[in-house]
Amino acid sequence: MAAARPTNPWLILLGLALGVSISNAFGRFAYGLILPSMKSSLGWSLTQSGWLNTANSIGYIVGSILTLLLIRHFSPSRLFASGTVATALCLLATGFDESLVFQTACRTLVGLFGALSFVSGGVLAASLFQSHARKNALAIALYFGGGGGFGIALCGATLPTMLDAFGPQYWDWAWIGVGLAALVICPFSVWASTELNETEHDAALPSIPPVRRMLGQLGGYALFGLGYIVYVTFISVWMKEQHSSVLLTTATWMVLGFSIMASPFVWRGVLARFSSGMPLALILSGVALGSALPILVPSGYGLILSALVFGLSVFMPPTAVTSFVRQNVEQPDWGATISFFTVIFAISQALGPIGAGVIGDITGEIGDSLVVASAVLLVGALCAAMQKPLIREAAKPS
């Protein structure tokens, strides 16, 4: 893939990363902050609450597959721009009807268009600094973590206070506010993508990834999708059940956002050192610990520490998978292999929220689902730890 040289690559990267604020932070994580108010006002069960993020994940599956088909015929910049704007509009629409059917449709479309934006934006970010390997790797990591962390911190700083001041019945205005914030960001993100609108893309049919030789890494990534989404969806519901203050909720989500922003710098040494599944194993161990800490240390300190540990790890598995593929698979097969990982992740992610909701309804305690999620993540870490390099050191692609 070749791209025209932009005059302001770091500014363009900022615009692309802010697109992740829309597709991931607003599109996926904000639901966890608004959910307690929606659940209280609309009388939802935990299963119904989990279902909406499962619907979002189903949309993400469809969007991921759709992106892989469309990117052979349309430029990544066009897909990124259309996906980002459509995600913002669907977020805004979420505040206009309380019916479960309408909410399901909105969450599904947010997932679909969010995947279109996120995946194609990753292609654009990877086209920056191609002649400088370290800058290129940093750009990809900052794309995944920087914009998402900023969006989560922004939501954490505003939504809990707003809903506490006006009451849970104003959950619809929270979504309208999120949608308007996304629309404000859109022009900058669209501009960034148009600066890379001459990016070429490979129209060749994808090759078949070496699945049998990557079962450890695939298993780890699948269990990551199944486990991490439980914390994202239900941590605020659990905090409300524990009568946590608005200040603590705000602080927890802001720490989560800022630690996500810092995570690329924490893990880049580990990612560069290993060509096996060890980076993913270590990262999943961090996600597992962060998920369990609210239950293991049931206090405000435990929640803040949980947000810190979880945030420093949760956005890094895609980077770990990308690094693994780049070091172990021939360059012409990178796209197809990473895409295969993405689809596996998306399918497993769809099962997590509704499964956690069912467990919470059966036991009467959503904290039990956090513990189960932590155990799932630890199994994923074990799977990844068993993954060996696919090729010998001397044969790695540069």
Side-chain angles (χ1 to χ4, degrees), residues 162-184:
M162 174 249 174
L163 290 167
D164 181 67
F166 293 99
Q169 68 274 16
Y170 277 79
W171 63 266
D172 51 350
W173 283 100
W175 280 118
I176 291 171
V178 168
L180 291 174
L183 288 171
V184 168

Side-chain angles (χ1 to χ4, degrees), residues 91-291:
L91 287 168
L92 181 67
T94 307
F96 288 99
D97 192 318
E98 68 180 29
S99 71
L100 189 62
V101 172
F102 184 83
Q103 289 295 313
T104 297
C106 285
R107 294 300 295 156
T108 302
L109 290 174
V110 165
L112 189 155
F113 291 121
L116 195 69
S117 170
F118 184 67
V119 176
S120 56
V123 174
L124 294 173
S127 73
L128 295 168
F129 308 110
Q130 289 200 70
S131 59
H132 301 279
R134 291 185 179 181
K135 287 184 178 180
N136 180 260
L138 180 60
I140 294 171
L142 288 174
Y143 170 77
F144 284 123
F150 170 77
I152 291 168
L154 180 63
C155 289
T158 56
L159 293 177
T161 303
M162 174 249 174
L163 290 167
D164 181 67
F166 293 99
Q169 68 274 16
Y170 277 79
W171 63 266
D172 51 350
W173 283 100
W175 280 118
I176 291 171
V178 168
L180 291 174
L183 288 171
V184 168
I185 293 173
C186 277
F188 184 36
S189 291
V190 170
W191 166 82
S193 69
T194 59
E195 289 295 295
L196 298 172
N197 61 5
E198 295 183 20
T199 300
E200 298 175 2
H201 51 286
D202 186 4
L205 290 173
S207 59
I208 300 174
V211 175
R212 287 187 178 182
R213 302 175 62 203
M214 301 189 303
L215 289 178
Q217 194 81 343
L218 280 167
Y221 203 45
L223 292 175
F224 164 67
L226 186 63
Y228 96 95
I229 195 69
V230 176
Y231 184 98
V232 170
T233 304
F234 287 114
I235 187 61
S236 287
V237 172
W238 182 84
M239 292 175 71
K240 185 173 183 180
E241 291 178 352
Q242 305 304 310
H243 308 290
S244 299
S245 67
V246 175
L247 180 61
L248 179 58
T249 302
T250 298
T252 299
W253 281 84
M254 290 188 70
V255 168
L256 177 63
F258 286 125
S259 59
I260 287 172
M261 294 174 70
S263 60
F265 303 98
V266 173
W267 288 102
R268 60 180 177 176
V270 174
L271 293 168
R273 181 178 178 183
F274 295 97
S275 60
S276 64
M278 188 55 64
L280 182 60
L282 294 173
I283 290 167
L284 292 187
S285 297
V287 182
L289 178 59
S291 297

